[in-house]
Amino acid sequence: SWRRLYEAALQTTKITSMVLIVLCGAACFTSVFLAIGGDKVVSNMILNIGLGKWGTFIVMMLILLILGMFIDWIAIVMIVFPIFLPIAAQLGFDKFWFVVICAVMLQDCFITPPFGYALFYLKGVAPPEVTTEDLYWGILPFWGLMKIGLLICCMFPETITWLPNLIIK
């Protein structure tokens, strides 16, 4: 009906506005953070840990995981990528590979408690007898499989870069 169409359009506008507000806030934060040299401070801190190439990579992924537990992925991308991409390039990682790995890690955050967004989506469509705790326990096998997939992509970067390299040549 026209009434339902109006309500759907109104809800869509509200949700889109919230996403745009998050984007604007993240862009403002990132601009100020970069302008005052925060990126250099964080980059130096991460690079001077002394864990080597892969240890630094693991630290960056852990930072993404922790941030992803509490912050929306759009804000994380806007805030973290301007800092992490130069670090990854400096460490010698392929930028395309690194971005895909970060995307998989952010996807992993969608099912990671306490604020796993996908868990709340599932709770919204699950029958009433399915509790949030059931969902937390139910995602464990998938979380493990995602970690195994991430590990395979890290150990064998060609799983990510093979096709793009083939197409670009």
Side-chain angles (χ1 to χ4, degrees), residues 42-43 45-66 80-81 83-106 146-157 159-160:
V42 174
S43 294
M45 185 179 68
I46 291 173
L47 287 170
N48 291 331
I49 291 175
L51 297 176
K53 177 179 178 175
W54 289 103
T56 304
F57 172 77
I58 290 170
V59 167
M60 289 190 293
M61 292 301 109
L62 287 174
I63 290 170
L64 275 179
L65 180 66
I66 292 167
V80 172
F81 273 38
I83 299 169
F84 281 7
L85 286 176
I87 294 173
Q90 188 175 347
L91 292 173
F93 292 116
D94 180 80
K95 284 185 182 181
F96 179 75
W97 174 83
F98 185 77
V99 169
V100 170
I101 293 293
C102 287
V104 171
M105 181 58 79
L106 289 173
M146 288 178 77
K147 289 297 171 221
I148 291 169
L150 190 64
L151 187 62
I152 290 170
C153 290
C154 289
M155 291 173 58
F156 307 103
T159 56
I160 295 172

Side-chain angles (χ1 to χ4, degrees), residues 9-28:
L10 191 62
Q11 283 298 104
T12 301
T13 304
K14 286 179 183 178
I15 292 170
T16 303
S17 298
M18 286 189 275
V19 170
L20 289 175
I21 288 170
V22 168
L23 277 173
C24 289
C28 291

